[in-house]
Amino acid sequence: MSNSSVAPSSFEFTVFSDLGSLRYLFFCLCLLLFMTIISANVVIILSVCLEKSLHQPMYIFICCLSLNSVYGSVGFFPRFLMDLLSDAHLISRPFCFLQIYVIHTYKAHEINILTVMTYDMLLAICQPLHYHSKMSFRMILYLLLVAVLYPVCMLGHLFYRLSYLPLCGYKLSRIFCTSWSVMQLSCEDTSELSLSGQFVGAAFIFLPLVFVLYSYLRILLVCRKSLSEFRGKALQTCLPHVITFLNFCISVFCEVSLSLYRVDEVNTFVIVAVSLEFLIIPPISNPLVYGLNLPQIRGVISALMKMHKLVPT
């Protein structure tokens, strides 16, 4: 089959065969992580949705960040947990491309929402008198629609072309389907498609990065000229976002760097660790960063926990 140009009906993940008896330990740890990610993000979502005082732009964007974490985790973990316990690590061609699409849109949505949050902070700190007129409910809806639909359209076109590539193999040395690993199985020259993918990837990463750096430069200039009390509040608002944005960028950079190496020359545990990093660290750190650092969300979570204790069982 590896020498045939006939499109394979399924792909095989070869990494799982090297895990041996450790697969059961990995299954328990990953199941615990999956449940923790879902629970922590659902708490943030419920806190923002149920508490009217949190129906403000910043908290709405935090809620969307948690929704995206749930979306990415649900798109990856159930299949991954099944592969850890299964003896046959086969995934059908349609589900493979669906997994590629979900994981890539998760990454694009994450960085777009973080960029929208940067714009919100820029207005709140640099133009406080015009903030409420500029950051209206219509503007919030417009920004979120652009942040979600832009990746869906751009990536949808690329993956449509990817799904029709003639393939000469079916073995993937990864723990989930990636566009790069599938392109490496192509029987034809994929330089044009690869270049298009690199261009779209650069647009998704570097344009938001430039905007974020520009925004924080303006915020720092305003804080430098402001009173210490205002400066402290501004930094308290910006710090969770800085941690979240850098955390996600580093995680994605590590995952992308893995594609630059020949996977057969990389240790299996390195492949697993690097591949899991951007799917685990941001979704589990975002609720901790915002839930623990922002007193408004922390107060609502504490109130919900107290109400739960008062409800008779």
Side-chain angles (χ1 to χ4, degrees), residues 41 45 49 60-73 106 110 113:
N41 283 282
I45 294 168
C49 292
I60 292 174
F61 296 142
I62 292 172
C63 179
C64 292
L65 208 60
S66 291
L67 280 170
N68 188 54
S69 295
V70 172
Y71 165 71
S73 298
Y106 153 73
E110 186 89 357
I113 294 171

Side-chain angles (χ1 to χ4, degrees), residues 51 53-54 58-59 236 293-301:
E51 179 58 43
S53 64
L54 297 183
M58 180 176 68
Y59 302 112
Q236 184 185 30
N293 281 301
L294 295 182
Q296 295 86 348
I297 293 181
R298 189 169 64 243
V300 172
I301 293 174

Side-chain angles (χ1 to χ4, degrees), residues 264-310:
D264 53 355
E265 298 176 357
V266 182
N267 185 275
T268 300
F269 292 101
V270 174
I271 295 175
V272 173
V274 174
S275 299
L276 287 175
E277 186 178 10
F278 80 98
L279 288 162
I280 289 179
I281 296 179
I284 203 170
S285 66
N286 291 351
L288 294 176
V289 169
Y290 289 109
L292 296 178
N293 281 301
L294 295 182
Q296 295 86 348
I297 293 181
R298 189 169 64 243
V300 172
I301 293 174
S302 299
L304 289 175
M305 292 177 66
K306 289 179 181 178
M307 289 177 60
H308 176 71
K309 290 179 180 180
L310 292 175

Side-chain angles (χ1 to χ4, degrees), residues 20 38 212 226 243 249 283:
I38 298 299
V212 169
S226 304
I243 295 172
C249 287

